[in-house]
């Protein structure tokens, strides 16, 4: 992307001031300290401004920013540059457009409304990426003063209001389908200052409305004239009359200016035709490589069923409950995440399951066989209700699933962070039960310390590293907290040395409350590269999977539109990666966070690194991370976006043949 790095100098002088970050928010990168200045402001005088008669460049600053930039409301304007992106097939690549008013052209307390329109992207061979399908626009909305929520912009009414003295960001995502032809795709985004609704109502019929009506009438006329109804004289007469009426409408004076622009595109309106819009040129190179449908790294993320039940007033097991869980599951799959639903019991017992329906239900095989799902949790129902019925249900579930090809994706998640030998004994007993059903069962256990009551002192790293010896053969996926490692990558070797891969043992990791700044995590207010680096760290340390405890674990609420409150005692953003759509509009579609989009980018980066490894070896791929400056360690990674593009570009350059 041709743009200055998200936190680098713009090449012009800006006043430097010190503004503290949002209270309770770790990390940096929110661009506090930027103020207006450096770029030339508007030369317009005082008085009422008609945006239809003034070029939008005189009314607002427009510039592009990378996806790792946290564009704050204080962000200073920068020069507008051509946006160049690179993406594989089955990949999403995003960037941001920042808008800041120079003057106000409205009288209602806002600086003024702007309209944002994007063309389809075309290649020289005629292939294209379609707006609304492959190209989406979302507005970045601050949460606790930090840019985070990505609220969809209605493509039928792509208009937003700008506030005086504030920068607003638009998140633009390009989704490349698996079957897209490689090549260079080009298009434009048009940013246009428009009148307020009050001003627009002063005219009975705006030119944009007349132009839309003109197009519809023209289409209707084409249809009636191109079809042969000669078999029915009456039909012919009716069509002839309709044709005459339509032609009479099209020559009305109201449509005269539309006729002059009859050949101009299929979606642009008045402002573009008058050439008053700021034009952002966009190029995307789609290269001849497809990201695998099944992610190389299983990343399992929890969704609290109780949060969904409370907020949407759903009774467990009802049709609405199943619909809500199904909707969340399918929505999260687009982020290369393998979701699981969870309900918590006492002492950190957990019922974790990927599919709400039993294994013999038609929907179950649809879930488990989905190629986008890298791993799935099998529900251990007795964890919450140890009855004969629950045990019989579990046995039947395992007997059905173990005969399927997707059984290799299955795991049981029974207990979160067991702390003592008594809890370890429960895991052992459950494991013994499951192993009577099938010997190849996989159990995942998360932990950040050794168990109390054992021979070793639980707070020591030695006890932590020796956990596999205590839980073998009752756990196959040893999932450890990155918090324990701190910045010492050398400790990874000690953990892996205790594992026995020949027994199917794996090492996964997780983040939650920690680690904190400057290490990678997904807390609100951390740098964009800090969010993205979570997956760089996983790949560099050699983990074979990743777990995140909760994606919707905000405070309890009883109505969908209730304000989102992060849980007390947790860093802001911890456990919340998306928001209910009802908080921002009437939409029922979940609203992604910036952090969730950066998780997707990190997951995609892993596929790039794996591709490079397959051609040159893992050591060379590790060297690529370091020599580009993208990631050297948990406290040494790029704060700017440039090295990310350099790394991806090097993979493209060396692996495309």
């Amino acid at each position: 992307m041709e743009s200055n790095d998200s936190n680098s100098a713009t090449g012009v002088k800006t006043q430097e001031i010190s503004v503290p970050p949002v209270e309770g928010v770790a990390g940096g990168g929110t661009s506090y300290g930027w103020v207006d200045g450096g770029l030339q402001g508007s030369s317009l005088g005082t008085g009422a401004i008609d945006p239809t008669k003034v070029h939008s460049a005189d009314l607002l600053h427009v510039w592009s920013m990378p996806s790792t930039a946290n564009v704050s409301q204080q962000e200073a304007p920068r020069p507008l540059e051509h946006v160049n992106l690179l993406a594989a097939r089955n990949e999403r690549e995003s960037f941001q457009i920042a808008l800041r008013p120079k003057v106000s052209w409205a009288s209602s307390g806002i600086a003024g409304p702007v309209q944002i329109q994007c063309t389809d992207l075309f290649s020289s061979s005629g292939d294209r990426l379609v707006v609304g399908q492959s190209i989406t626009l979302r507005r970045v909305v601050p949460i606790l003063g930090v840019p985070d929520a990505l609220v969809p912009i209605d493509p039928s009414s792509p208009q937003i209001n700008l506030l005086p003295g504030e920068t607003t960001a638009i998140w633009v995502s390009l989704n490349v389908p698996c079957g897209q032809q490689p090549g260079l795709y080009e298009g434009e985004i048009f940013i246009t200052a428009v009148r307020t609704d009050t001003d627009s109502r002063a005219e009975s019929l705006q030119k944009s409305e007349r132009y839309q009506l003109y197009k519809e009438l023209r289409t209707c006329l084409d249809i009636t004239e191109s079809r042969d109804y000669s078999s029915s004289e009456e039909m012919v007469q009716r069509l002839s009359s309709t044709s005459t009426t339509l032609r009479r409408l099209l020559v009305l004076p109201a449509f005269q200016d539309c006729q002059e622009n009859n050949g101009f595109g299929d979606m642009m309106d008045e402002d573009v035709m008058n050439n008053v819009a700021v034009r952002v040129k966009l190029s995307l190179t789609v290269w001849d490589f497809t990201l695998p449908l099944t992610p190389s790294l299983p990343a399992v993320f929890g969704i609290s069923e109780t949060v969904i039940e409370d907020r949407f007033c759903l009774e467990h097991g009802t049709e609405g409950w199943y619909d809500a869980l199904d909707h969340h599951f399918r929505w999260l799959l687009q982020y290369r995440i393998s979701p699981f639903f969870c309900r918590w019991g006492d002492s950190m017992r957990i019922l974790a399951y990927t599919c709400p329906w039993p294994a013999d239900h038609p929907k179950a095989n649809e879930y488990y066989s989905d190629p986008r799902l890298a791993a799935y949790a099998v529900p251990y129902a007795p964890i919450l209700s140890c009855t004969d019925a629950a045990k019989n249900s579990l046995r039947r579930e395992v007997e059905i699933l173990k005969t399927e090809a997707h059984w290799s994706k299955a795991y049981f998640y029974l207990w979160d962070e067991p702390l003592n030998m008594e809890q370890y004994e429960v895991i052992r007993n459950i494991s013994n039960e499951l192993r009577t059903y099938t010997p190849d069962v996989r159990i995942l256990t998360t932990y950040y310390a050794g168990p109390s009551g054992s021979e070793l002192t639980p707070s020591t790293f030695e006890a932590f590293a020796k956990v596999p010896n205590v839980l073998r053969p009752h756990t196959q996926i040893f999932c450890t907290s990155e918090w324990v490692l701190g910045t010492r990558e050398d400790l990874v070797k000690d953990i892996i040395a205790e594992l026995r891969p020949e027994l199917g043992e794996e090492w996964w990791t997780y983040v939650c409350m920690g680690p904190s700044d400057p290490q990678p995590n997904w807390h609100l207010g951390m740098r964009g590269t800090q969010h993205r680096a979570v997956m760089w760290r996983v790949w560099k340390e050699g983990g074979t999977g990743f777990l995140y405890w909760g994606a919707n674990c905000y405070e309890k609420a009883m109505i969908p539109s209730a304000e989102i409150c992060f849980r007390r005692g947790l860093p802001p953003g911890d456990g919340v990666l998306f928001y209910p759509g009802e908080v921002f509009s009437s939409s029922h579609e979940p609203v992604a966070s910036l952090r969730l989009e950066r998780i997707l980018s990190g997951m995609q980066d892993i596929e790039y690194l794996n591709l490079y490894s397959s051609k040159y070896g893992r050591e060379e791929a590790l060297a690529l991370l370091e020599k580009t400056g993208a990631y050297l360690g948990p406290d040494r990674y790029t704060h700017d976006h440039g090295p990310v593009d350099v790394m991806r570009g090097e993979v493209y350059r060396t692996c495309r043949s």
Side-chain angles (χ1 to χ4, degrees), residues 70 237 385 438 469 622:
N70 290 336
Q237 290 176 350
S385 175
T438 178
N469 295 324
L622 288 168

Side-chain angles (χ1 to χ4, degrees), residues 353-409:
Y353 60 95
T354 292
C355 181
W357 290 275
D360 56 357
H361 192 281
K363 295 281 286 187
N365 195 57
E366 180 184 332
Y367 265 54
Y368 297 136
S369 298
D370 194 309
R372 296 170 296 174
L373 194 68
Y376 65 80
V378 183
Y380 182 78
I383 199 76
L384 297 181
S385 175
C386 193
T387 63
D388 289 341
K391 290 185 177 182
N392 291 336
S393 174
L394 169 66
R395 179 186 290 273
R396 177 165 176 75
E397 193 86 358
V398 174
E399 287 177 348
I400 295 173
L401 292 176
K402 72 179 182 180
T403 63
E404 302 290 344
H406 51 62
W407 175 247
S408 60
K409 299 181 183 179

Side-chain angles (χ1 to χ4, degrees), residues 324-381:
L325 266 58
D326 184 63
H327 186 60
H328 281 80
F329 173 81
R330 298 185 185 281
W331 183 81
L332 271 174
L333 280 178
Q334 68 177 296
Y335 290 96
R336 302 185 72 82
I337 285 169
S338 297
F340 67 88
F341 299 99
C342 51
R343 181 179 290 268
W344 299 86
D346 62 294
S347 302
M348 302 295 278
R349 296 171 184 249
I350 180 172
L351 173 65
Y353 60 95
T354 292
C355 181
W357 290 275
D360 56 357
H361 192 281
K363 295 281 286 187
N365 195 57
E366 180 184 332
Y367 265 54
Y368 297 136
S369 298
D370 194 309
R372 296 170 296 174
L373 194 68
Y376 65 80
V378 183
Y380 182 78

Side-chain angles (χ1 to χ4, degrees), residues 267-536:
M267 57 88 69
M268 294 298 134
D269 69 1
E270 167 191 12
D271 300 306
V272 176
M273 290 186 288
N274 283 339
N275 200 30
V276 299
V278 177
R279 305 161 81 115
V280 181
K281 294 185 178 181
L282 173 59
S283 298
L284 172 69
T285 299
V286 176
W287 67 304
D288 195 10
F289 167 64
T290 305
L291 298 190
L293 279 176
T294 305
S296 301
L297 181 95
V300 298
F301 283 49
I303 308 173
S304 171
E305 63 168 32
T306 52
V307 168
I308 293 175
E309 290 167 4
D310 292 341
R311 178 169 283 268
F312 298 101
C313 303
L314 299 171
E315 184 179 347
H316 188 92
T318 61
E319 182 179 354
W321 181 85
Y322 281 107
D323 288 344
L325 266 58
D326 184 63
H327 186 60
H328 281 80
F329 173 81
R330 298 185 185 281
W331 183 81
L332 271 174
L333 280 178
Q334 68 177 296
Y335 290 96
R336 302 185 72 82
I337 285 169
S338 297
F340 67 88
F341 299 99
C342 51
R343 181 179 290 268
W344 299 86
D346 62 294
S347 302
M348 302 295 278
R349 296 171 184 249
I350 180 172
L351 173 65
Y353 60 95
T354 292
C355 181
W357 290 275
D360 56 357
H361 192 281
K363 295 281 286 187
N365 195 57
E366 180 184 332
Y367 265 54
Y368 297 136
S369 298
D370 194 309
R372 296 170 296 174
L373 194 68
Y376 65 80
V378 183
Y380 182 78
I383 199 76
L384 297 181
S385 175
C386 193
T387 63
D388 289 341
K391 290 185 177 182
N392 291 336
S393 174
L394 169 66
R395 179 186 290 273
R396 177 165 176 75
E397 193 86 358
V398 174
E399 287 177 348
I400 295 173
L401 292 176
K402 72 179 182 180
T403 63
E404 302 290 344
H406 51 62
W407 175 247
S408 60
K409 299 181 183 179
Y411 67 92
F412 286 87
Y413 181 18
L414 308 171
W415 206 297
D416 188 54
E417 298 178 338
L419 297 176
N420 53 53
M421 291 303 297
E422 180 182 353
Q423 294 171 353
Y424 275 52
E425 189 62 29
V426 174
I427 295 173
R428 289 193 186 111
N429 292 336
I430 295 175
S431 172
N432 286 331
E433 175 192 356
L434 292 173
R435 286 156 64 84
T436 64
Y437 304 155
T438 178
D440 61 347
V441 67
R442 293 199 308 164
I443 295 176
L444 179 153
T445 302
T446 60
Y447 59 98
Y448 63 88
S452 62
S454 64
E455 298 178 356
L456 299 171
T457 305
S459 60
T460 65
F461 181 79
E462 182 183 7
F464 171 81
K466 295 292 184 180
V467 165
N469 295 324
V470 181
L471 278 177
R472 182 178 295 118
H474 307 295
T475 289
Q476 289 68 42
I477 301 175
F478 294 91
C479 189
T480 67
S481 170
E482 292 281 14
W483 204 351
V484 175
L485 299 178
T487 60
R488 292 187 55 186
E489 288 184 315
D490 59 298
L491 297 179
V492 171
K493 297 179 181 179
D494 297 329
I495 297 172
I496 295 178
E498 298 296 329
L499 299 180
R500 297 179 59 181
E502 71 275 11
L503 299 180
E505 294 179 357
E506 297 184 51
W507 179 54
W508 291 21
T509 56
Y510 67 93
V511 296
C512 54
M513 294 179 64
S516 58
D517 192 56
Q519 296 181 56
N521 206 325
W522 295 323
H523 299 162
L524 194 69
M526 286 182 165
R527 297 180 179 88
T529 53
Q530 196 169 3
H531 295 147
R532 192 160 174 169
V534 171
M535 290 304 169
W536 301 342

Side-chain angles (χ1 to χ4, degrees), residues 532 535-536 597-607:
R532 192 160 174 169
M535 290 304 169
W536 301 342
E597 287 289 336
R598 290 163 180 165
I599 291 170
L600 171 62
S601 295
M603 292 289 290
Q604 293 173 162
D605 292 337
I606 285 177
E607 305 300 349

Side-chain angles (χ1 to χ4, degrees), residues 164-230:
E166 289 189 6
T167 297
T168 297
I170 305 299
W171 187 275
V172 184
S173 292
L174 308 178
N175 300 275
V176 183
C178 290
Q180 195 71 32
Q181 289 298 312
L184 176 65
Y185 291 76
E186 296 180 301
E188 287 186 289
I189 298 176
F190 297 82
I191 312 294
T192 316
V194 296
R195 295 179 178 181
T196 62
D197 291 339
T198 302
D199 294 334
S200 298
R201 285 194 293 269
E203 297 182 10
S204 59
L205 189 63
Q206 276 287 84
K207 185 176 175 183
S208 58
E209 297 169 330
R210 287 185 278 120
Y211 184 64
Q212 181 63 33
L213 181 58
Y214 175 84
K215 289 192 299 180
E216 294 172 354
L217 292 173
R218 181 81 233 182
T219 300
C220 183
L221 178 61
D222 292 341
I223 292 174
T224 58
E225 289 187 333
S226 64
R227 300 182 65 174
D228 183 12
Y229 295 108
S230 58

